Amino acid sequence: MNKYNVQRVDYKDVEEWILNKHYAKRRCNVMFAFALFKGLEVVGVCTLGMPPTPFLSKLFEKGTYLELNRLVTNELMEKNALSFFVGKILRDIGNYCVVSYADPNNGHNGYIYQATNWIYTGAGRVNQKDKRGVNKFFYNGKEFHERHIPETMSKLGFYIDKKKTKNENWTSNGGEIIPQKRKHRYFYVCGDKSFKRKNIKIIKNHFNVYDYPKGDNTNYDASYEIKNKYIQHKLF
């Protein structure tokens, strides 16, 4: 992997990757952004930020947890380039508990996390007492996040029947709901030995640990041609 190197970069310089090349095509909370360089050209991007769920604050100390929330590279990369990229970030970022998810609805099992020895804790919400289903909400062809559906219905001027559930009100106003499979959840603890030991114990005390899931992966279309291929990097 001598032809590759990993550097921290400004998010604004790689936002084009997040909004156009990653399958989610939407912004996320970013505290750290990294680029995989091949020579002077950026060939991959990874971002980490604050997880949207507050539940992790009950498990880990403040300021010690992150979500790896975007990971994307050019198509037809060499076999080990992605594991080199992720592994380098995990080794250098410092003392953090990192959570990430693989979405089976997009054909992902999390093989990159398996290749870099993450802890697999099953599929579902971080708060294991939360048994709600997982759905995608659409209206007029646009997707809306489930967490914000009550506010969204108000903004859209939906008629709200108080005798109906949130989902029933959504569909009765012309919205569509598509049930989803729960995402695969992985943890990785970075940093020194004492930090790792302490937080791996926390993870294993709170979650069941399972064998890695298997199945066919589906590669999404990442053929978008990045315009800003050459950017400045920061020192770690």
Side-chain angles (χ1 to χ4, degrees), residues 9-10 13 24-25 68 71 75 80 87 112 116-118 122 170-171 186 194 204 209-210 223:
V9 296
D10 284 320
D13 290 329
K25 291 182 170 54
L68 192 161
L71 177 62
E75 295 180 322
N80 296 322
I112 180 55
T116 46
N117 298 313
W118 292 51
W170 183 261
T171 55
Y186 292 85
S194 61
K204 291 184 176 180
V209 176
Y210 300 96
S223 61

Side-chain angles (χ1 to χ4, degrees), residues 7-196:
Q7 299 291 340
R8 187 176 173 189
V9 296
D10 284 320
Y11 171 70
K12 64 181 180 181
D13 290 329
V14 296
E15 187 176 55
E16 182 186 5
W17 285 76
I18 304 305
L19 297 182
N20 297 284
K21 206 170 180 72
H22 189 271
Y23 71 87
K25 291 182 170 54
R26 62 175 182 265
R27 292 180 177 86
C28 55
N29 178 278
V30 176
M31 296 172 63
F32 299 98
F34 295 92
L36 178 65
F37 287 85
K38 186 176 183 181
L40 298 177
E41 182 180 346
V42 177
V43 295
V45 168
C46 178
T47 64
L48 300 97
M50 186 59 63
T53 172
F55 190 74
L56 291 179
S57 65
K58 298 178 181 179
L59 298 182
F60 306 119
E61 293 179 12
K62 184 178 180 180
T64 66
Y65 54 92
L66 294 167
E67 180 183 358
L68 192 161
N69 46 27
R70 296 291 187 270
L71 177 62
V72 58
T73 64
N74 284 338
E75 295 180 322
L76 303 176
M77 295 284 289
E78 293 176 71
K79 183 178 180 181
N80 296 322
L82 192 57
S83 58
F84 167 79
F85 186 22
V86 173
K88 175 65 173 170
I89 294 169
L90 297 175
R91 286 192 299 274
D92 292 349
I93 200 171
N95 288 355
Y96 283 103
C97 304
V98 184
V99 64
S100 196
Y101 299 89
D103 188 356
N105 301 289
N106 284 286
H108 300 160
N109 293 290
Y111 287 137
I112 180 55
Y113 308 126
Q114 298 177 24
T116 46
N117 298 313
W118 292 51
I119 300 170
Y120 176 61
T121 59
R125 299 178 185 271
V126 173
N127 183 353
Q128 297 186 108
K129 295 180 180 179
D130 188 344
K131 301 302 182 183
R132 290 175 296 168
V134 180
N135 299 300
K136 281 192 173 183
F137 289 74
F138 294 87
Y139 183 72
N140 285 344
K142 182 179 179 181
E143 182 182 352
F144 295 89
H145 199 289
E146 182 175 9
R147 187 181 301 109
H148 306 301
I149 289 305
E151 297 94 326
T152 300
M153 288 193 289
S154 178
K155 290 178 181 178
L156 292 173
F158 282 7
Y159 170 73
I160 305 300
D161 185 341
K162 294 182 179 179
K163 295 180 180 179
K164 293 182 177 180
T165 65
K166 174 191 69 179
N167 290 8
E168 289 171 340
N169 274 303
W170 183 261
T171 55
S172 66
N173 281 275
E176 181 184 10
I177 299 175
I178 301 178
Q180 300 289 292
K181 296 178 182 177
R182 291 181 178 272
K183 295 179 181 179
H184 298 297
R185 182 183 55 244
Y186 292 85
F187 284 97
Y188 193 94
V189 182
C190 313
D192 60 53
K193 289 182 179 179
S194 61
F195 183 84
K196 286 183 176 181

